[in-house]
Amino acid sequence: RLYRTGDLASRDDDGLLHYAGRADGQAKVRGVRVEPGEIEVVLGSHPAVERAAVAIREDEPGVKEIVAYLVGPDAFIPEVAEYLAGYLSQYLLPAVYVKLDALPLTPSGKLDRQALPVPTIRDREARTSVSEVISLIEADVAEVWCDLLQVNQLGRSQNFFSVGGTSLSALQMLHRIKTRFGVAI
């Protein structure tokens, strides 16, 4: 029996099905089905966002993340992120926001998802705030966070999850802290 699931597959001469992907933009991120179009609608409803796109990227093998691309000269990333947090569930919030001058388009004028750029460290740092550290231990913990979240600097009042941290990366962070400091949290 076949069921209409939204998955694309083909049948070979032996009758075996070969999975080819999804018919829609839906993808699984950290065990949860995510529809990028749903996030795009909310992102595009922000008054400072002129155009928006959302992609599920796997720039590191096995690590999928939601990336929001937006166009709008007046769009302030922390404000847009806070806006989305007011409308979307935590698991739907983008890990990274990339501000562009224009979204890449195909010759026919449609969004060229393949041409959306890989997020840079600067893009990852767009939601971070920097403040002075008080102690060497605080500096060492900040270094662990920066390494894990792939950013150069973080502020002491930064929320781990609001700058791209996930429940999986939180466990990795706890392991790194235990390894580095010999302290279990």
Side-chain angles (χ1 to χ4, degrees), residues 127-146:
R127 291 173 33 193
T128 64
S129 61
V130 180
S131 57
E132 290 186 34
V133 294
I134 293 177
S135 68
L136 292 175
I137 293 174
E138 194 173 84
D140 286 345
V141 171
E143 186 179 316
V144 171
W145 278 38
C146 288

Side-chain angles (χ1 to χ4, degrees), residues 151-166:
V151 296
N152 289 328
Q153 53 190 359
L154 286 167
R156 62 191 314 247
S157 62
Q158 205 66 56
N159 180 312
F160 181 78
F161 297 102
S162 71
V163 292
T166 64

